[in-house]
Amino acid sequence: MVQVTNFNERRTSVDDIFDYLHDEILSLRLRPGDKISEADIAAQFGVSRQPVRDAFSRLATRNLLLIRPQRATEVKRFSSREIVKSRFVRASVEKEVLRLASERCDAQGAAELDAALARQDQMIAAGDDDTFGKLDYEFHETLCRIAQAEFAFDVIMAEKSKVDRLCTLSLEKVDRLPELVEDHRSMAEAIKRHDAAEAIKCGMLHLSRLDKTIEQISATNANYFEPETPPTK
């Protein structure tokens, strides 16, 4: 990890530590199963262990850390069951967002979608893969705003963060960004035409892109997944 200097504890220490570790985990600089220490993070940020403990607790709530009393805290491995649950919740919310966005998209909403897509095209042209995650979040936030359902973005963001590491792993191996941007374009064009059925169809196709990735990663990086527990009788 990069040494953090000149840290101002008067700022919300918990927020800063949370944001830093959240980025480290989602970017896979910290990988599933990696161990992290309260003492090490506290020393790195020059704070007491309490704000680190609170940040760890928030990350555990997001299903990104596994905190075990008297044992090392580690980056949460993927859970096949949680992935299925998360994707079900997100798909349900996204369908309604796309339906409402298609109904409510006006000239301003169309311009916002065009601007978001233009930024994604610029990212592709510049080969700046690192900014895709930020632009992806921005696009889905724009959809929620057009749908007049900004609150839905909180749900989407929470569920999306649970599988974003899988997306990062897939992008390490295959350059799929143009395909994902084209998915966004298809959704946007359907919304601008007020074609809710087509927007939802494109949105569900977009979410399904992860199916093959999950299958590949579970086969090639089984250590990144929690062991399956047999159902209780």
Side-chain angles (χ1 to χ4, degrees):
M1 292 184 184
V2 178
Q3 178 66 34
V4 178
T5 57
N6 298 322
F7 182 81
N8 183 0
E9 193 171 359
R10 196 165 60 83
R11 292 175 57 204
T12 308
S13 310
V14 177
D15 291 340
D16 284 283
I17 296 167
F18 172 86
D19 289 344
Y20 174 71
L21 290 175
H22 188 268
D23 184 61
E24 291 287 293
I25 292 170
L26 293 192
S27 66
L28 292 176
R29 287 186 289 272
L30 282 172
R31 298 225 166 200
D34 282 357
K35 293 177 172 53
I36 58 175
S37 156
E38 279 185 11
D40 290 346
I41 299 298
Q44 184 178 347
F45 278 82
V47 298
S48 68
R49 293 177 67 162
Q50 186 58 51
V52 178
R53 193 170 296 123
D54 292 342
F56 277 18
S57 179
R58 284 174 58 183
L59 289 162
T61 300
R62 289 282 185 93
N63 226 26
L64 294 174
L65 279 188
L66 177 62
I67 301 173
R68 299 173 297 180
Q70 310 304 319
R71 299 175 65 185
T73 294
E74 67 177 41
V75 178
K76 193 85 160 48
R77 289 177 167 84
F78 300 117
S79 162
S80 297
R81 181 178 180 277
E82 286 300 318
I83 288 170
V84 170
K85 177 183 174 182
S86 177
R87 296 182 73 205
F88 179 87
V89 171
R90 183 181 170 190
S92 301
V93 174
E94 292 260 22
K95 285 178 182 178
E96 185 64 7
V97 167
L98 290 166
R99 184 185 70 80
L100 291 173
S102 298
E103 289 181 4
R104 297 172 177 176
C105 186
D106 55 15
Q108 180 180 341
E112 289 181 11
L113 288 171
D114 289 342
L117 290 169
R119 286 188 286 275
Q120 293 180 38
D121 287 338
Q122 290 169 2
M123 178 229 20
I124 295 289
D128 184 13
D129 299 355
D130 291 339
T131 65
F132 178 74
K134 178 182 177 182
L135 295 178
D136 189 33
Y137 273 78
E138 176 189 85
F139 179 78
H140 289 282
E141 186 174 21
T142 299
L143 294 180
C144 292
R145 187 165 54 252
I146 293 170
Q148 299 172 29
E150 289 88 342
F151 54 85
F153 183 67
D154 294 335
V155 179
I156 291 171
M157 184 171 64
E159 299 306 324
K160 192 173 183 302
S161 69
K162 295 175 183 177
V163 296
D164 270 357
R165 291 184 294 163
L166 285 166
C167 298
T168 303
L169 280 169
S170 71
L171 293 174
E172 285 181 347
K173 298 175 181 179
V174 182
D175 184 10
R176 294 176 53 231
L177 292 184
E179 178 182 63
L180 299 178
V181 171
E182 284 307 307
D183 285 348
H184 287 172
R185 194 181 315 283
S186 297
M187 282 186 271
E189 292 302 321
I191 287 169
K192 290 192 292 182
R193 293 195 308 269
H194 307 291
D195 187 343
E198 182 65 18
I200 291 170
K201 177 182 174 182
C202 294
M204 295 306 99
L205 173 63
H206 182 62
L207 292 182
S208 74
R209 303 287 189 194
L210 199 56
D211 292 344
K212 189 173 182 180
T213 296
I214 294 171
E215 183 181 337
Q216 289 174 337
I217 293 172
S218 61
T220 59
N221 295 282
N223 59 311
Y224 285 171
F225 285 77
E226 295 177 356
E228 294 290 340
T229 55
T232 55
K233 296 183 179 179

